[in-house]
Every structure is written in C-alpha cells, then in structure tokens.
Amino acid sequence: MQPRVSMITLGVADLERSKKFYRDGLGFPLMGEDPKVAFFTLNGTWLGLYGRDALAEDATISPEGGGFPGFALAHNVASEAEVDAVLAQAVAAGAELVKPAQKVFWGGYSGYFRDPDGFLWEVACNPFFWVGPPDTTAQG
C-alpha cells in the first residue's frame, strides 16, 4: 500500500449545515453541487461530507456511537498568529473551542476545535519542520 491518504470522509448529521461550515466558515473550496455528498479539495487530499447513517450503511456498520472518536484531524500553519487566527475563524463559523492555543509539550503551539458534528481539529504550528505538502497560499 502506498503511504497516502486520498480522501477523508466525515459522516455528518446535517449535510447542509456541515457544507456551510466548511465552505463559508472555513473557506474550503467546494467541488460542484450534489444533494447527498460534498467534496472539498485540500492541498494534497480531499475532504468528503456524507450523511452519517448513509456512510455507516455503506461501510456495513452501525451508525450509533458517541464520545471521543479516537482521532483528530490536523491543520498545520506557519506561525502562532496563524494558529490563533484559524481557531478564531472556526469558532466564528460555529465550531466549539475545545482547547485554546498554547505552547505544547513537544515544543510547538496548538489548540483544538470541534466542528458542528463533533469532529476534532487540531490547529498547530510546528517550529521544527513543515508538516504536509507545500503551502501554495503562503505569501513571501
């Protein structure tokens, strides 16, 4: 298996609410329109939104579950100020701030928000090396 994640698909309770959160609130570019699924291009992968029950049915598992899902998505930025700005943007779009940004044990700076469906996102600045594909939006 090639070491790559092609797409992350989130099972959501309300597709329109989640589409608005990611498209309008966080500014993710939406790929086309479909009433049952939404796809956003990310730098190097895609994010898919699909109804929670439909995604569970597709995987042939129960849609029941709650609490900590055992994973978090991460968004790395180049500075502490950008961490603060992204967290503020997410909260303004309807996210819940779970952990305010702060210096962390591994030497970086990060915080967490929870999207409208409860998925955790870490926003981090790693001062030791860049995590992910090149940042095509960087100004300089």
Side-chain angles (χ1 to χ4, degrees):
M1 180 173 169
Q2 294 284 326
R4 163 181 59 247
V5 174
S6 302
M7 181 174 357
I8 298 164
T9 305
L10 303 178
V12 300
D14 181 331
L15 182 61
E16 287 304 314
R17 176 190 68 189
S18 294
K19 191 165 44 171
K20 183 179 179 185
F21 175 78
Y22 285 100
R23 179 192 60 215
D24 302 338
L26 297 185
F28 287 9
L30 178 65
M31 298 291 296
E33 289 290 329
D34 187 298
K36 295 186 179 181
V37 66
F39 297 107
F40 299 88
T41 58
L42 307 180
N43 191 11
T45 192
W46 284 27
L47 175 68
L49 303 177
Y50 198 53
R52 181 178 175 88
D53 290 344
L55 184 59
E57 181 181 338
D58 186 52
T60 68
I61 61 172
S62 170
E64 301 305 316
F68 179 57
F71 71 94
L73 302 167
H75 178 75
N76 280 64
V77 295
S79 71
E80 292 182 10
E82 287 179 87
V83 170
D84 294 334
V86 171
L87 288 173
Q89 179 183 7
V91 169
E96 173 193 351
L97 184 63
V98 174
K99 177 184 174 189
Q102 57 194 257
K103 298 276 187 188
V104 289
F105 72 94
W106 49 267
Y109 183 78
S110 75
Y112 285 83
F113 70 84
R114 184 175 297 143
D115 81 357
D117 284 281
F119 294 105
L120 286 175
W121 282 81
E122 177 188 24
V123 182
C125 171
N126 183 332
F128 307 110
F129 58 88
W130 180 252
V131 178
D135 185 356
T136 60
T137 63
Q139 311 231 349

